[in-house]
């Protein structure tokens, strides 16, 4: 069992990456300590009310609104399966949906207040790392689990969270390494980086830089820009002056404006290789551009492709889905929370947090809520293997193993969300 989550003195992530063929505030960022990771005896004595209430803090508006539909669908699919199997602790799971917005508004804080008032035991979200940072103290300080399906900022590995923060998305150290290696493997020895200036953008840019330079390439220009800027001409001009062979775009919705400026200044994808990341890959604004604008552009997204059966479940929930990014991670987060509550025989946040590592590794393997909960009811230890992967947590609440997919855009300025050029799997240890 993952008792080391409660015992570790300082969880600092290191990552060993193995290539496999075929295939986004103001929180306290102090290191996690034994004191912060373990619930206090007083708090541990607090019991739930018998009904597992899951809140969602996911983007309905803002710069990551395009990630909302697959994430909500993943949660909804999981809750349906849980309740169809008899619910948790003999009662149906209650779900409350709220909007996370983005960092330009106070929507997330207002949503968290609503969820806490309605006695949410666990909150799934936010998608944006910066949004999660802005509310993590409020959530975990209330003894509630915060479980993000999409936070990738490396800050969460060591953030002060009272042992109540988990995620199914891997830290940017992994995506950054995969992307950096990909850029160099494609024959690029000079690289320019345009990254939004926040914990997600700057952190990912740092890792791409480190990896690419370690592999022999030079980052000849890096611009960390204000994502709320009305114009990116000066930023792109700096990249153009450095004359790189490859340009890395790390951002959210504003990336469409950056792309338009690259084209305007002659840095088109047929002349300079562009690379993108999970934050800007599924951008509907690209579809408004002339065909071929993004043809050949590559990008990385954490997680393996959603299996066909799982995609069908999601489409039954939301027939309009065109992207499945972080749907599997949202689904797995919901299932794991429910299994942890069953294992603890209590729905309080601290009880759930204490059991999340236990239900994710070391026991009899199971892949559905029903099969797993049936094992729990017979007194067996379980190891839930999810749609997004094995989902075993390390001491920091990060997935200990994760997969990154590499995708490529076609002439229609879209990439096929069901197909990857390759997958690369990495191990994340604490």
């Amino acid at each position: 069992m993952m008792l080391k989550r409660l015992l570790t003195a300082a969880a600092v992530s290191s990552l060993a990456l193995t290539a496999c063929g075929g295939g986004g505030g103001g929180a306290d960022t102090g290191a996690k300590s034994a004191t912060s990771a373990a619930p206090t005896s007083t708090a541990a004595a607090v019991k739930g009310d018998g009904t597992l209430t899951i809140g969602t803090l996911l983007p309905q508006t803002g710069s990551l609104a395009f990630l909302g539909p697959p994430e909500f669908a993943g949660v909804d699919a999981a809750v349906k399966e849980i309740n169809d199997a008899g619910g948790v602790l003999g009662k149906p799971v209650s779900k409350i949906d709220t909007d996370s917005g983005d960092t330009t508004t106070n929507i997330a804080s207002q949503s968290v207040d609503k969820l806490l008032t309605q006695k949410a035991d666990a909150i799934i979200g936010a998608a944006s790392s910066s949004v999660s940072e802005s509310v993590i103290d409020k959530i975990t300080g209330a003894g509630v689990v915060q479980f993000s399906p999409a936070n990738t900022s490396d800050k969460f590995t060591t953030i002060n969270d009272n042992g109540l923060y988990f995620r199914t998305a891997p830290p940017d150290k992994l995506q950054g390494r995969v992307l950096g290696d990909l850029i160099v493997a494609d024959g690029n020895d000079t690289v320019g980086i345009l990254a939004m200036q926040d914990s997600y953008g700057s952190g990912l840019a740092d890792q791409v830089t480190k990896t690419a330079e370690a592999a022999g390439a030079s980052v000849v220009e890096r611009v960390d820009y204000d994502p709320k800027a009305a114009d990116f001409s000066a930023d792109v001009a700096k990249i153009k002056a450095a004359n790189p062979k490859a340009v890395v775009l790390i951002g959210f919705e504003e990336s469409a404006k950056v792309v338009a400026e690259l084209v305007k200044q002659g840095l088109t994808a047929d002349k300079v290789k562009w690379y993108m990341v999970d934050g800007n890959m599924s951008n509907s604004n690209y579809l408004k551009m002339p065909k071929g604008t993004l043809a050949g552009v590559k990008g990385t997204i954490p997680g393996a492709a959603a299996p066909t059966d799982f995609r069908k479940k999601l489409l039954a929930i939301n027939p309009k889905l065109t992207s499945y990014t972080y749907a599997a991670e949202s689904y797995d987060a919901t299932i794991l929370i429910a299994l942890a509550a069953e294992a603890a025989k209590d729905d309080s946040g601290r009880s759930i947090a204490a059991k999340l590592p236990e239900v994710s590794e070391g026991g009899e393997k199971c892949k559905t809520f029903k099969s797993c909960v049936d094992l729990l009811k017979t007194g067996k230890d379980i190891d839930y293997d999810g749609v997004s992967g094995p989902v075993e947590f390390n001491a920091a609440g990060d997935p200990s193993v994760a997969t990154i997919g590499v995708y490529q855009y076609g002439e229609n300025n879209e990439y096929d969300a069901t197909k990857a050029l390759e997958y690369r799997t990495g191990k994340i240890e604490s």
Side-chain angles (χ1 to χ4, degrees):
M1 299 310 110
M2 287 294 296
L3 292 178
K4 62 179 181 178
R5 176 164 172 80
L6 302 180
L7 300 174
T8 185
V12 180
S13 174
S14 63
L15 180 150
L17 179 64
T18 305
C20 297
D28 181 353
T29 56
K32 289 181 181 177
S33 66
T35 301
S36 65
T40 63
S41 57
T42 301
V46 176
K47 293 292 184 180
D49 60 8
T51 297
L52 176 61
T53 300
I54 294 176
T56 63
L57 182 68
L58 297 169
Q60 298 172 346
T61 61
S63 58
L64 283 182
F66 65 89
L67 287 179
E71 292 174 337
F72 279 112
V75 173
D76 289 348
V79 169
K80 181 180 186 304
E81 289 184 24
I82 293 164
N83 287 341
D84 285 350
V88 172
L89 304 174
K91 295 182 180 179
V93 171
S94 174
K95 181 177 67 72
I96 307 165
D97 290 332
T98 69
D99 181 18
S100 64
D102 59 26
T103 55
T104 66
T105 69
N106 195 40
I107 290 174
S109 182
Q110 296 173 19
S111 293
V112 170
D113 288 342
K114 174 184 175 181
L115 293 173
L116 295 180
T117 298
Q118 297 189 44
K119 298 182 179 181
D121 302 300
I123 295 175
I124 297 176
S128 162
S129 292
S130 291
V131 171
S132 282
E133 281 189 80
S134 72
V135 295
I136 189 170
D137 286 348
K138 183 179 287 189
I139 296 171
T140 61
V144 172
V145 167
Q146 181 175 1
F147 200 140
S148 175
N151 288 166
T152 59
S153 171
D154 293 325
K155 287 185 177 181
F156 292 105
T157 298
T158 55
I159 204 165
N160 225 346
D161 64 358
N162 299 310
L164 292 168
Y165 176 89
F166 295 79
R167 54 179 164 181
T168 38
D172 283 326
K173 284 185 177 181
L174 180 55
Q175 184 175 192
R177 287 192 179 188
V178 170
L179 187 55
D181 284 339
L182 174 67
I183 291 165
V184 177
D186 283 350
N188 303 295
D189 56 8
T190 54
V191 183
I193 299 177
L194 282 157
M196 65 184 295
Q197 192 170 28
D198 78 341
S199 61
Y200 168 77
S202 299
L204 190 44
D206 287 344
Q207 188 60 56
V208 171
T209 299
K210 181 179 178 181
T211 302
E213 292 185 339
S218 297
V219 175
V220 293
E221 183 62 77
R222 170 176 164 177
V223 179
D224 287 35
Y225 62 81
D226 178 359
K228 298 186 291 295
D231 177 77
F232 298 98
S233 57
D235 300 318
V236 171
K238 290 179 182 178
I239 298 294
K240 182 177 181 179
N243 194 32
K245 291 182 181 178
V247 176
V248 183
L249 307 178
I250 303 173
F252 293 157
E253 190 177 41
E254 83 289 343
S255 294
K257 294 181 181 179
V258 177
V259 165
E261 190 60 40
L262 285 168
V263 172
K264 183 178 180 181
Q265 296 195 28
L267 298 179
T268 52
D270 60 341
K271 296 178 181 178
V272 180
K273 292 179 181 177
W274 298 353
Y275 295 86
M276 295 185 177
V277 292
D278 60 307
N280 55 20
M281 287 284 285
S282 301
N283 194 324
S284 61
N285 291 311
Y286 301 149
L287 300 177
K288 303 173 186 177
M289 297 178 176
K291 286 188 176 181
T293 299
L294 273 72
V297 175
K298 294 179 182 178
T300 51
I301 299 177
T308 301
D309 289 347
F310 181 63
R311 293 199 304 270
K312 289 180 179 178
K313 288 180 183 179
L314 297 176
L315 289 171
I317 298 290
N318 182 357
K320 296 181 179 180
L321 278 183
T322 57
S323 169
Y324 304 97
T325 304
Y326 294 121
E329 287 81 1
S330 301
Y331 173 90
D332 286 341
T334 310
I335 296 291
L336 282 161
I337 288 167
L339 291 173
E342 277 283 352
K345 295 181 173 57
D346 179 50
D347 60 284
S348 72
R350 292 186 181 276
S351 294
I352 292 168
K355 289 294 184 178
L356 275 169
E358 185 175 307
V359 299
S360 71
E361 70 149 8
E364 187 170 337
K365 289 190 177 296
C366 50
K367 294 185 177 182
T368 67
F369 174 78
K370 187 177 188 312
S371 63
C372 291
V373 80
D374 285 347
L375 290 171
L376 285 174
K377 288 178 179 178
T378 63
K380 293 184 178 179
D381 185 18
I382 64 168
D383 178 359
Y384 172 72
D385 280 355
V387 180
S388 66
V391 204
E392 295 180 1
F393 296 109
N394 63 19
D398 295 336
S400 60
V401 178
T403 299
I404 305 293
V406 177
Y407 298 83
Q408 184 167 312
Y409 286 87
E411 287 289 331
N412 59 354
N413 298 330
E414 290 183 292
Y415 69 94
D416 190 336
T418 68
K419 297 179 180 178
L421 298 177
E422 61 179 308
Y423 294 104
R424 302 188 186 186
T425 300
K427 184 177 182 182
I428 307 157
E429 299 176 348
S430 297

